[in-house]
PDB file of all heavy atoms in Angstrom:
ATOM      1  N   PHE B  20       3.021   7.594  -0.677  1.00  0.00           N
ATOM      2  CA  PHE B  20       2.181   8.351   0.255  1.00  0.00           C
ATOM      3  C   PHE B  20       1.161   9.206  -0.501  1.00  0.00           C
ATOM      4  O   PHE B  20      -0.036   9.209  -0.173  1.00  0.00           O
ATOM      5  CB  PHE B  20       3.073   9.225   1.135  1.00  0.00           C
ATOM      6  CG  PHE B  20       2.341   9.840   2.290  1.00  0.00           C
ATOM      7  CD1 PHE B  20       1.881   9.054   3.323  1.00  0.00           C
ATOM      8  CD2 PHE B  20       2.099  11.195   2.319  1.00  0.00           C
ATOM      9  CE1 PHE B  20       1.194   9.615   4.378  1.00  0.00           C
ATOM     10  CE2 PHE B  20       1.423  11.760   3.372  1.00  0.00           C
ATOM     11  CZ  PHE B  20       0.972  10.968   4.397  1.00  0.00           C
ATOM     12  N   ILE B  21       1.629   9.893  -1.565  1.00  0.00           N
ATOM     13  CA  ILE B  21       0.707  10.713  -2.365  1.00  0.00           C
ATOM     14  C   ILE B  21      -0.333   9.822  -3.028  1.00  0.00           C
ATOM     15  O   ILE B  21      -1.519  10.165  -3.105  1.00  0.00           O
ATOM     16  CB  ILE B  21       1.504  11.533  -3.395  1.00  0.00           C
ATOM     17  CG1 ILE B  21       2.319  12.592  -2.685  1.00  0.00           C
ATOM     18  CG2 ILE B  21       0.577  12.193  -4.396  1.00  0.00           C
ATOM     19  CD1 ILE B  21       3.318  13.276  -3.562  1.00  0.00           C
ATOM     20  N   GLY B  35     -11.418   2.572  -4.518  1.00  0.00           N
ATOM     21  CA  GLY B  35     -10.512   3.139  -3.521  1.00  0.00           C
ATOM     22  C   GLY B  35     -11.251   3.323  -2.224  1.00  0.00           C
ATOM     23  O   GLY B  35     -12.246   2.648  -1.973  1.00  0.00           O
ATOM     24  N   PHE B  38      -9.965   2.180   3.405  1.00  0.00           N
ATOM     25  CA  PHE B  38      -9.252   0.946   3.748  1.00  0.00           C
ATOM     26  C   PHE B  38      -7.981   0.787   2.918  1.00  0.00           C
ATOM     27  O   PHE B  38      -6.890   0.612   3.456  1.00  0.00           O
ATOM     28  CB  PHE B  38     -10.182  -0.251   3.557  1.00  0.00           C
ATOM     29  CG  PHE B  38      -9.593  -1.543   4.019  1.00  0.00           C
ATOM     30  CD1 PHE B  38      -9.482  -1.814   5.374  1.00  0.00           C
ATOM     31  CD2 PHE B  38      -9.128  -2.465   3.113  1.00  0.00           C
ATOM     32  CE1 PHE B  38      -8.922  -2.985   5.803  1.00  0.00           C
ATOM     33  CE2 PHE B  38      -8.570  -3.637   3.537  1.00  0.00           C
ATOM     34  CZ  PHE B  38      -8.467  -3.907   4.889  1.00  0.00           C
ATOM     35  N   MET B  43      -2.096   1.484   2.011  1.00  0.00           N
ATOM     36  CA  MET B  43      -0.974   2.007   1.224  1.00  0.00           C
ATOM     37  C   MET B  43      -0.098   2.915   2.081  1.00  0.00           C
ATOM     38  O   MET B  43       1.122   2.868   1.995  1.00  0.00           O
ATOM     39  CB  MET B  43      -1.479   2.784   0.013  1.00  0.00           C
ATOM     40  CG  MET B  43      -1.959   1.946  -1.150  1.00  0.00           C
ATOM     41  SD  MET B  43      -1.183   0.380  -1.289  1.00  0.00           S
ATOM     42  CE  MET B  43       0.317   0.795  -2.089  1.00  0.00           C
ATOM     43  N   ALA B  61      10.857   5.948  14.374  1.00  0.00           N
ATOM     44  CA  ALA B  61      10.119   6.539  15.492  1.00  0.00           C
ATOM     45  C   ALA B  61      10.513   7.995  15.700  1.00  0.00           C
ATOM     46  O   ALA B  61       9.695   8.796  16.169  1.00  0.00           O
ATOM     47  CB  ALA B  61      10.385   5.739  16.768  1.00  0.00           C
ATOM     48  N   GLY B  75      -9.087   7.486  15.150  1.00  0.00           N
ATOM     49  CA  GLY B  75      -9.933   7.099  14.019  1.00  0.00           C
ATOM     50  C   GLY B  75     -11.288   6.605  14.461  1.00  0.00           C
ATOM     51  O   GLY B  75     -12.319   6.962  13.884  1.00  0.00           O
ATOM     52  N   ALA B  85     -23.002  12.965  15.144  1.00  0.00           N
ATOM     53  CA  ALA B  85     -23.328  14.317  14.710  1.00  0.00           C
ATOM     54  C   ALA B  85     -24.702  14.385  14.059  1.00  0.00           C
ATOM     55  O   ALA B  85     -25.322  15.449  14.017  1.00  0.00           O
ATOM     56  CB  ALA B  85     -22.267  14.827  13.734  1.00  0.00           C
ATOM     57  N   GLU B 110     -17.967  20.483  -3.322  1.00  0.00           N
ATOM     58  CA  GLU B 110     -19.030  19.577  -2.887  1.00  0.00           C
ATOM     59  C   GLU B 110     -18.435  18.572  -1.907  1.00  0.00           C
ATOM     60  O   GLU B 110     -17.567  17.777  -2.275  1.00  0.00           O
ATOM     61  CB  GLU B 110     -19.629  18.861  -4.108  1.00  0.00           C
ATOM     62  CG  GLU B 110     -20.715  17.862  -3.781  1.00  0.00           C
ATOM     63  CD  GLU B 110     -22.100  18.499  -3.781  1.00  0.00           C
ATOM     64  OE1 GLU B 110     -22.187  19.672  -4.173  1.00  0.00           O
ATOM     65  OE2 GLU B 110     -23.051  17.818  -3.408  1.00  0.00           O
ATOM     66  N   ALA B 114     -19.614  11.608   4.469  1.00  0.00           N
ATOM     67  CA  ALA B 114     -19.056  10.248   4.465  1.00  0.00           C
ATOM     68  C   ALA B 114     -17.536  10.297   4.408  1.00  0.00           C
ATOM     69  O   ALA B 114     -16.871   9.344   4.814  1.00  0.00           O
ATOM     70  CB  ALA B 114     -19.608   9.459   3.278  1.00  0.00           C
ATOM     71  N   THR B 115     -16.976  11.429   3.909  1.00  0.00           N
ATOM     72  CA  THR B 115     -15.510  11.567   3.879  1.00  0.00           C
ATOM     73  C   THR B 115     -14.932  11.519   5.285  1.00  0.00           C
ATOM     74  O   THR B 115     -13.877  10.928   5.505  1.00  0.00           O
ATOM     75  CB  THR B 115     -15.135  12.892   3.206  1.00  0.00           C
ATOM     76  OG1 THR B 115     -15.852  12.999   1.980  1.00  0.00           O
ATOM     77  CG2 THR B 115     -13.657  12.950   2.913  1.00  0.00           C
ATOM     78  N   VAL B 124      -7.917   4.275  11.531  1.00  0.00           N
ATOM     79  CA  VAL B 124      -7.933   2.997  12.250  1.00  0.00           C
ATOM     80  C   VAL B 124      -7.046   1.983  11.527  1.00  0.00           C
ATOM     81  O   VAL B 124      -6.255   1.266  12.161  1.00  0.00           O
ATOM     82  CB  VAL B 124      -9.377   2.469  12.377  1.00  0.00           C
ATOM     83  CG1 VAL B 124      -9.365   1.028  12.863  1.00  0.00           C
ATOM     84  CG2 VAL B 124     -10.154   3.322  13.341  1.00  0.00           C
ATOM     85  N   GLY B 127      -3.373   2.899  12.030  1.00  0.00           N
ATOM     86  CA  GLY B 127      -2.965   2.649  13.413  1.00  0.00           C
ATOM     87  C   GLY B 127      -2.829   1.176  13.724  1.00  0.00           C
ATOM     88  O   GLY B 127      -1.813   0.745  14.279  1.00  0.00           O
TER      89      GLY B 127
END
Side-chain angles (χ1 to χ4, degrees):
Chain B
F20 191 69
I21 291 169
F38 186 74
M43 282 331 279
E110 178 90 7
T115 311
V124 168

